[in-house]
Amino acid sequence: NFITDAGRQQLHQNSEWNKLIFSAIPECYLKWISTLSPLYREYYKVLPGISPKSQDDLTSLYSSSLKKALNIVPFIPRLKDNKVIKVADAIIDKYSFGKAVGNDLLIKYVNSKEGKNYNGEAFISDNAISLMKSYGVHVFDKDSMMSFLSNDTLLSGITIDRDKDLLNYLHDFCHNEKIESSEIENLLPHTKIIIDDNNELNKAEDLFFPAIDNDLDESDNKLSFINSELYNSLSAEIKA
């Protein structure tokens, strides 16, 4: 029980007992959450906010303890097997970009850019994304995607099959995410994401479609063409 004033309407702010309880609540609560989260998909609905409205001494103590608890208690189920992990070990791939470039490459990029040590099992669902972000979960979002695509070296050595996956992904993203995709659409023509006839990544604005009926001379070294295998594979999907 808390120590209250004589009218039992207010908690004593200076009570060491009250301080002890308030400081213990976050860790105890998150440990309880950790038993529920692998079983109930909507567990996030009972997660506490990071910044309570009231800021008296006890609430400030609670907030401080919550931030500490978020760093030490594993309570977020990962996508792979529902095993709970800590905030610091979790990533949300907001638009499933890892399916296009491979989760390993996405993780490598995030670790390099953020100085972290995430592994391929770090991915969690995008439920309550704003709350998770306020906790400190890393969110790979549209801006992250743009930064990734702007790096000319990340996709070096990409296979034709993977490049096809990436191009199909970007097409679907721009089609389905009208609000979020405008900046991506503006970036794509100037980004090296298409394998050319020299098996190197090139920009869309610098490429021609493979010549049909000798409209263009593919032997002209001044011209660059989309890799014929990539082009034929994409064309076959469109026809299907």
Side-chain angles (χ1 to χ4, degrees), residues 210-218:
I212 300 176
D213 297 331
N214 296 320
D215 288 340
L216 291 172
D217 182 3
E218 292 192 25

Side-chain angles (χ1 to χ4, degrees), residues 192 194-211 216-228 231:
K192 292 183 177 181
I194 304 175
I195 297 176
D196 64 17
D197 51 344
N198 293 314
N199 290 317
E200 296 179 352
L201 287 172
N202 213 325
K203 303 174 185 177
E205 62 185 1
D206 294 334
L207 288 171
F208 291 90
F209 290 109
L216 291 172
D217 182 3
E218 292 192 25
S219 65
D220 188 340
N221 293 329
K222 295 180 181 179
L223 302 179
S224 294
F225 297 85
I226 299 174
N227 180 279
S228 58
Y231 175 79

Side-chain angles (χ1 to χ4, degrees), residues 36-238:
L36 297 179
S37 58
L39 305 175
Y40 299 97
R41 189 171 181 273
E42 296 185 340
Y43 77 95
Y44 56 87
K45 291 185 176 181
V46 293
L47 288 173
I50 196 70
S51 300
K53 295 179 181 180
S54 174
Q55 283 300 321
D56 55 40
D57 290 345
L58 290 177
T59 306
S60 295
L61 179 60
Y62 165 86
S63 297
S64 176
S65 297
L66 175 59
K67 292 175 182 178
K68 293 178 182 177
L70 288 170
N71 290 322
I72 62 176
V73 180
F75 68 95
I76 308 173
R78 62 190 187 189
L79 286 173
K80 179 182 178 182
D81 54 12
N82 258 8
K83 180 180 178 181
V84 291
I85 58 177
K86 294 183 288 187
V87 162
D89 298 326
I91 292 179
I92 293 176
D93 184 4
K94 185 175 181 180
Y95 297 109
S96 300
F97 188 63
K99 292 181 179 179
V101 299
N103 286 336
D104 289 343
L105 185 57
L106 187 150
I107 290 290
K108 180 181 178 181
Y109 165 77
V110 172
N111 285 341
S112 175
K113 185 173 179 60
E114 303 295 332
K116 301 291 186 179
N117 192 31
Y118 296 111
N119 60 47
E121 300 177 344
F123 295 100
I124 65 172
S125 77
D126 59 358
N127 292 322
I129 189 168
S130 295
L131 178 62
M132 290 297 177
K133 189 172 184 178
S134 73
Y135 283 174
V137 171
H138 182 84
V139 177
F140 191 94
D141 54 15
K142 180 203 67 178
D143 291 336
S144 306
M145 195 188 309
M146 292 182 63
S147 178
F148 182 104
L149 293 171
S150 298
N151 189 319
D152 288 343
T153 64
L154 280 173
L155 294 173
S156 177
I158 190 174
T159 65
I160 288 177
D161 284 342
R162 179 61 78 185
D163 197 21
K164 182 180 71 173
D165 290 341
L166 174 59
L167 296 175
N168 281 330
Y169 170 90
L170 292 170
H171 171 272
D172 292 343
F173 177 82
C174 292
H175 179 74
N176 298 326
E177 302 288 343
K178 296 295 185 182
I179 297 177
E180 290 288 328
S181 66
S182 59
E183 291 180 90
I184 295 285
E185 288 189 57
N186 292 332
L187 175 70
L188 291 181
H190 321 296
T191 305
K192 292 183 177 181
I193 56 172
I194 304 175
I195 297 176
D196 64 17
D197 51 344
N198 293 314
N199 290 317
E200 296 179 352
L201 287 172
N202 213 325
K203 303 174 185 177
E205 62 185 1
D206 294 334
L207 288 171
F208 291 90
F209 290 109
I212 300 176
D213 297 331
N214 296 320
D215 288 340
L216 291 172
D217 182 3
E218 292 192 25
S219 65
D220 188 340
N221 293 329
K222 295 180 181 179
L223 302 179
S224 294
F225 297 85
I226 299 174
N227 180 279
S228 58
E229 183 181 347
L230 175 63
Y231 175 79
N232 291 335
S233 180
L234 290 170
S235 297
E237 287 190 1
I238 294 174

